[in-house]
Amino acid sequence: MGSIDAAVLGSEKKSNPGKATILALGKAFPHQLVMQEYLVDGYFKTTKCDDPELKQKLTRLCKTTTVKTRYVVMSEEILKKYPELAIEGGSTVTQRLDICNDAVTEMAVEASRACIKNWGRSISDITHVVYVSSSEARLPGGDLYLAKGLGLSPDTHRVLLYFVGCSGGVAGLRVAKDIAENNPGSRVLLATSETTIIGFKPPSVDRPYDLVGVALFGDGAGAMIIGSDPDPICEKPLFELHTAIQNFLPETEKTIDGRLTEQGINFKLSRELPQIIEDNVENFCKKLIGKAGLAHKNYNQMFWAVHPGGPAILNRIEKRLNLSPEKLSPSRRALMDYGNASSNSIVYVLEYMWEESKKVRNMNEEENEWGLILAFGPGVTFEGIIARNLDV
């Protein structure tokens, strides 16, 4: 394969004028840390289920996910207050939303404060907010409660993205990029926040696919500050966001299916999802790279920040694109440490990528300046951004 045409996009480690950059990252988690090795016994004890076949299936799933630890909002205190959450068939959407609405706001505020601290500028310099969640439903939305919790100016412009699923973090980044590049001097806070309580249910033979979520998904929040033309005195950009695109695959809307019901959100993930992503990811990457104006490509000379939807998805992407194993290391680390945290995950992946970039630089090894940020969500929707590592 060819190499990146640096002449097209420049090779200086300064951001291009007018191009959006990620200026800071932040994250936050609930207090409950779940070790994967203890999850099965705890889950079946909590839900008072003694089905040996379901327990065996969940045990197998927990081993194949590669997840080691996760954070969750669910706790013994919550189940004592709301025991109906662990009972099959009850109308519990009101209770779930009461818990979720408060939890996602608390985590989003904490992640945003961490991000703003890393950024180093005043909170009053934030001009826009993009808020992403698939774990709440209310009017006004979580964007307003985040702004209120942070004490942002009433003049702050807000955008709300609800129920975008696992592609939400990159979708939010695409929207924040557009805002930053079309509003000179703006600084955009992107916050994502998710909890699985909205879909927590006892195991059921009628819903075997629920066990995939039990074995895979985690809770938490993420945040980024995005802006163009960084101030060289007080801002240190991490990544430049060069080109962003979104595509959906026709006739795949049932592949990731979620419905808000009286029992909370019911999710169905088709077994064909990893194959669908494998079959379409290369064409999507070619389209993205082409739109960015890259004359040539060598996937192994680029970095890859990929949403860790699960090991099967990562394995198939690695195989289809013939990537070296280390290329998806940040994604696999995020999956291992936090599970699939939906829209939050891309923040954790980018943070691990930045950490690994620093290690490589300290060892005087060559780094990849250009790369792709990818995520996949309901639709099936592909989100992608050509990015540039400015910290190399």
Side-chain angles (χ1 to χ4, degrees):
M1 302 173 84
S3 59
I4 297 173
D5 187 352
V8 175
L9 298 173
S11 58
E12 295 294 325
K13 301 306 186 293
K14 292 171 60 178
S15 61
N16 289 298
K19 283 293 183 182
T21 62
I22 298 175
L23 298 168
L25 300 167
K27 63 181 185 294
F29 301 98
H31 299 301
Q32 300 294 323
L33 175 64
V34 175
M35 307 294 290
Q36 192 82 333
E37 59 190 298
Y38 302 123
L39 180 139
V40 176
D41 288 339
Y43 176 62
F44 276 79
K45 179 181 178 182
T46 295
T47 56
K48 298 181 174 60
C49 178
D50 58 1
D51 188 310
E53 290 187 12
L54 287 176
K55 192 170 185 178
Q56 272 191 338
K57 181 172 183 177
L58 182 57
T59 300
R60 290 195 302 270
L61 286 169
C62 284
K63 291 178 180 178
T64 60
T65 60
T66 70
V67 177
K68 300 296 184 185
T69 55
R70 280 176 290 168
Y71 292 88
V72 296
V73 172
M74 181 60 80
S75 65
E76 290 184 5
E77 290 76 16
I78 289 176
L79 284 175
K80 285 179 181 178
K81 185 175 180 180
Y82 302 101
E84 61 271 27
L85 297 182
I87 300 174
E88 182 71 30
S91 179
T92 56
V93 66
T94 299
Q95 299 93 310
R96 293 173 189 275
L97 289 176
D98 285 344
I99 301 167
C100 293
N101 291 343
D102 290 342
V104 292
T105 297
E106 181 180 347
M107 292 188 294
V109 168
E110 184 180 345
S112 298
R113 284 176 176 160
C115 184
I116 293 166
K117 182 179 179 180
N118 293 333
W119 177 38
R121 287 181 57 173
S122 170
I123 195 171
S124 62
D125 291 334
I126 293 173
T127 59
H128 297 74
V129 168
V130 177
Y131 177 73
V132 181
S133 182
S134 297
S135 305
E136 61 163 285
R138 52 182 161 172
L139 191 72
D143 57 321
L144 184 137
Y145 291 101
L146 172 60
K148 179 180 177 181
L150 291 172
L152 296 180
S153 166
D155 295 331
T156 305
H157 293 192
R158 310 185 319 275
V159 175
L160 176 62
L161 298 179
Y162 264 176
F163 295 104
V164 193
C166 291
S167 60
V170 182
L173 197 54
R174 172 174 51 79
V175 172
K177 166 182 162 62
D178 287 347
I179 292 172
E181 293 178 353
N182 286 283
N183 295 271
S186 62
R187 289 298 179 263
V188 186
L189 170 64
L190 167 62
T192 63
S193 194
E194 308 286 3
T195 174
T196 51
I197 281 185
I198 193 71
F200 179 89
K201 293 179 180 65
S204 170
V205 293
D206 296 325
R207 298 189 316 276
Y209 39 79
D210 280 2
L211 296 180
V212 176
V214 174
L216 186 62
F217 289 101
D219 300 355
M224 306 187 216
I225 299 290
I226 296 96
S228 59
D229 301 316
D231 187 328
I233 297 175
C234 59
E235 292 180 317
K236 184 172 176 53
L238 306 177
F239 299 94
E240 178 181 292
L241 306 175
H242 190 275
T243 302
I245 66 172
Q246 179 198 66
N247 282 170
F248 72 90
L249 304 177
E251 308 303 325
T252 64
E253 60 269 17
K254 297 297 183 181
T255 304
I256 306 173
D257 188 61
R259 306 294 174 93
L260 187 59
T261 72
E262 292 182 351
Q263 292 81 41
I265 288 184
N266 289 337
F267 273 116
K268 293 183 181 179
L269 299 175
S270 170
R271 292 181 178 180
E272 286 73 42
L273 179 60
Q275 185 66 55
I276 290 172
I277 291 175
E278 179 184 356
D279 290 344
N280 292 276
V281 67
E282 185 165 19
N283 284 338
F284 179 78
C285 292
K286 287 179 179 178
K287 183 182 295 185
L288 176 56
I289 290 171
K291 187 167 184 180
L294 296 180
H296 304 285
K297 66 181 185 300
N298 183 330
Y299 293 148
N300 281 306
Q301 290 181 358
M302 307 179 81
F303 65 79
W304 292 81
V306 180
H307 169 75
I313 291 174
L314 295 178
N315 292 343
R316 286 173 179 264
I317 291 173
E318 183 178 287
K319 174 186 173 185
R320 175 53 63 98
L321 301 179
N322 197 26
L323 297 178
S324 302
E326 71 274 6
K327 288 299 174 182
L328 297 182
S329 173
S331 298
R332 295 189 189 279
R333 286 181 63 193
L335 181 63
M336 180 175 66
D337 292 344
Y338 308 119
N340 179 342
S342 192
S343 65
N344 307 316
S345 290
I346 202 64
V347 179
Y348 312 153
V349 172
L350 287 170
E351 186 174 69
Y352 278 144
M353 180 163 290
W354 181 68
E355 289 179 3
E356 292 186 7
S357 177
K358 288 175 64 178
K359 290 180 182 178
V360 170
R361 186 172 65 250
N362 291 337
M363 296 172 65
N364 295 318
E365 295 180 3
E366 186 177 353
E367 295 179 86
N368 300 127
E369 182 178 359
W370 292 92
L372 288 84
I373 302 173
L374 299 176
F376 321 97
V380 171
T381 299
F382 281 54
E383 293 275 358
I385 301 176
I386 289 286
R388 184 164 162 247
N389 187 349
L390 297 176
D391 200 40
V392 298

